[in-house]
Every structure is written in structure tokens, then in C-alpha cells.
Amino acid sequence: MVLGKGASSSLSRKMVDGVENMVSNCNDFTVLVVDDDPVIRKLHDMHLKKFGLRAQVVENGKKAVDLCHFGTIFNLILMDKEMPIMDGVEATKELRAMGVNSLIVGVTSRDSQYETQTFMEAGLDFCFEKPLTADKISFILQELNKKN
Amino acid sequence: MDVVQLQRQLVDYRASLYHEAFLDEQFTQLQELQDENNPDFVVEVVSLFFEDSERLLNELTKALEQQSIDFKRLDAHVHQLKGSSSSIGAQRVQKVCIAFRNDCEEQNVEGCLKCLQQVKHEYSLVKTKLETMFKLEQQILAAGGSVPM
């Protein structure tokens, strides 16, 4: 297997069948984790590390919007819903209005269907209950590969 | 106590934490993320949870001491505590947070005060249990053994 530039030697092989090819693309993807909970930020960061991804982490929607506004491009944004200053719904709307076409995946607590729908309508590609698991991340990366 | 006995004690202790619903499957997920490159991952995440929970419990106490209670702010703190307790698998803490959120929504002061007491109690229990478990793990390592998964 040929690994991409900057490949890390600690790449995880814990992949679902048939998607080992994605490992060679993984290190080129940029990820932003947006969550006000430091426990979740650390957990999601570790999950992503296992797939050979390095994530930037910010604690609210405004910081995410500012980063993108100043030109940082992310392939994947993991967006929490409830955050202070600017929540996930607002941040997603703003990002889409700015023309950001990253894969944006919403991460919610067990909210009502209506609230998840509102979040999806703001411009998410997918929405999952938190915390993310290896299977969910695997799925997200498959979608990321398709998109790119 | 020899290593094998300590390991057995740890396995039994861990099993009891799951059996009594102090921990759930999410804690297992945390353990599965730990590896030789990140050997202290579980302790680090749990320590972060302790720090953050203590901050949130202080905020909740202060918020409920106010003359005029800001239920929205109260709910935001409970929501965060619910999220982080759920992410480390602290099931009993999470369950109280769910009830707490309902009381916040109904602006039920008495209910909120009761929930605050309960959540502090459950938090203190799970903290003690996890610290005991980590101590056992340290004893096993100090005795030259490996921590069973």
C-alpha cells in the first residue's frame, strides 16, 4: 500500500471491509471539531487520530466561522449543536452562506426529531448522536472519499 | 496480594461498575481507544471529565442560589454535564441530568434543587469508583503485571 505524503506510522488498520484504500487518502483530509465540551473534543480528536487524521478543535460556532472566513479550508467539520456564543445551527447556516462546501456533520445529544431536522435544514450533510464511534467515523470518511 | 489476584480483583470490580450502572458501553469504547501510543488516554479523559464536572456543579449551585434563577443558563450547564457524562459512560450521572433538564424546562425550582443534590451524589460516587479502579490498575503495573482489558 502506498501512503500519502506526511503519512503517520501510527495509522490504524481498524477499518470496515473494503475501505482500506481510504487510508492512503486520510492524511490529506483536514478536519475541524467544533464543540464546547472539552471531553467530547478530546474523544473525537482521538477517534480521528486512529484514522490518521489531525483535527483542529474550537469551542464554539463563531470560532469555526471565523476560521473559515479567514481562508482555512476543511474537508470535514464535526459540528456540535448546542454551544454558547454561536450554536451549531447558526454556524452551519453561516458557513453555507459563505460558500463553504466542506462535509459538515452535525453531532447532537438525544434531541427531538424536530430539532435534528432544524439542524439538518441549516445545511448539514449528516447528523449523528454523540459521541461518535469508530463505525460512524468510518462511514463519514467513506462519504468524504466519495465527495473528494 | 500477587499480580494474578490483583488482576482478578480489577476484573471483578470493573464488572460490578457495569452491573450497577455506574458505567456503560461508552466507557468500553474509551478503553478501546487507548493504545501503546496513548497509554494514558482513559485517565486523561476521565480527569478532564472530573475537572469539567466540578466546574459545572459549582456553576449549577451558584445559579440555583440566585434570587431570580436563569433557567436557560441552568439548562445549558446541565446539558453540558449530560453530554460529558454520557461520553465517558457515566450512566447514572447522565440519567439524573435528563431529569434535571426536565425540571429546568418546567422551571421547577424544588425539582432542580433535588436534582442538583442527586447529581452531586452520583458524581461523587462514580468519581470514587473510577479512582479506586485506577488505583488498582496502578498496583498491577507496579507489581509488574499488565492491566487486563
Side-chain angles (χ1 to χ4, degrees):
Chain A
M1 187 192 294
V2 175
L3 297 177
K5 57 181 182 329
S8 152
S9 59
S10 62
L11 277 177
S12 170
R13 305 251 172 220
K14 210 163 69 175
M15 303 280 194
V16 295
D17 286 340
V19 292
E20 279 220 7
N21 286 337
M22 92 166 75
V23 173
S24 61
N25 297 327
C26 263
N27 282 309
D28 300 332
F29 289 144
T30 50
V31 186
L32 177 65
V33 174
V34 191
D35 204 304
D36 63 335
D37 183 347
V39 176
I40 291 277
R41 287 199 300 267
K42 190 170 174 80
L43 193 58
H44 287 173
D45 183 50
M46 181 55 117
H47 267 300
L48 293 164
K49 250 192 217 155
K50 290 287 198 180
F51 284 85
L53 292 160
R54 284 260 138 91
Q56 253 190 269
V57 291
V58 293
E59 68 258 32
N60 63 59
K62 181 157 192 325
K63 292 196 174 181
V65 168
D66 288 346
L67 263 179
C68 293
H69 177 72
F70 288 113
T72 319
I73 296 175
F74 298 100
N75 299 109
L76 170 65
I77 300 175
L78 297 178
M79 183 78 78
D80 182 27
K81 184 168 165 284
E82 292 188 40
M83 293 178 284
I85 302 175
M86 186 188 286
D87 69 14
V89 175
E90 179 85 39
T92 304
K93 281 186 188 160
E94 287 219 18
L95 289 172
R96 291 305 191 205
M98 275 164 55
V100 168
N101 75 341
S102 319
L103 195 78
I104 306 182
V105 175
V107 185
T108 63
S109 322
R110 226 163 317 171
D111 283 327
S112 67
Q113 251 194 331
Y114 167 75
E115 288 180 30
T116 305
Q117 197 186 328
T118 313
F119 201 4
M120 284 295 296
E121 284 168 2
L124 296 180
D125 292 288
F126 300 100
C127 196
F128 288 108
E129 220 176 275
K130 63 166 119 176
L132 294 177
T133 58
D135 288 344
K136 289 173 186 173
I137 297 198
S138 204
F139 171 83
I140 291 167
L141 291 178
Q142 280 185 63
E143 294 301 315
L144 204 50
N145 268 312
K146 281 188 210 163
K147 193 179 164 92
N148 291 277
Chain B
M1 212 182 282
D2 71 5
V3 174
V4 175
Q5 277 180 295
L6 282 170
Q7 287 170 329
R8 204 166 289 147
Q9 200 182 351
L10 175 65
V11 168
D12 290 344
Y13 192 71
R14 251 193 222 140
S16 75
L17 297 188
Y18 283 91
H19 184 69
E20 291 164 37
F22 283 105
L23 297 177
D24 65 24
E25 158 67 22
Q26 188 48 41
F27 189 78
T28 314
Q29 292 259 345
L30 275 196
Q31 291 178 304
E32 286 174 358
L33 283 171
Q34 184 161 292
D35 59 23
E36 57 275 5
N37 293 318
N38 305 277
D40 301 318
F41 177 68
V42 177
V43 170
E44 284 169 8
V45 176
V46 172
S47 302
L48 207 47
F49 168 69
F50 289 161
E51 251 175 63
D52 204 48
S53 299
E54 271 148 43
R55 176 187 65 86
L56 289 168
L57 290 171
N58 281 335
E59 294 291 333
L60 288 169
T61 308
K62 269 196 265 175
L64 280 167
E65 281 169 355
Q66 301 307 307
Q67 283 274 40
S68 164
I69 297 172
D70 183 345
F71 284 99
K72 209 169 169 205
R73 198 177 157 81
L74 197 65
D75 182 67
H77 290 317
V78 178
H79 174 78
Q80 206 179 343
L81 184 59
K82 175 173 153 273
S84 56
S85 60
S86 140
S87 67
I88 70 140
Q91 202 190 96
R92 281 158 67 146
V93 174
Q94 185 203 354
K95 282 210 158 87
V96 179
C97 289
I98 293 172
F100 203 155
R101 284 201 87 187
N102 287 336
D103 286 326
C104 290
E105 212 175 291
E106 292 165 11
Q107 303 204 0
N108 176 354
V109 179
E110 214 178 291
C112 285
L113 286 166
K114 272 202 184 105
C115 281
L116 179 60
Q117 286 291 83
Q118 260 184 291
V119 84
K120 279 179 171 174
H121 176 69
E122 289 298 341
Y123 168 72
S124 151
L125 283 176
V126 79
K127 182 167 191 242
T128 305
K129 302 276 180 188
L130 286 168
E131 284 173 341
T132 303
M133 193 185 75
F134 291 145
K135 269 203 192 95
L136 266 171
E137 288 179 1
Q138 286 308 309
Q139 281 178 282
I140 292 169
L141 293 171
S146 62
V147 175
M149 267 298 136

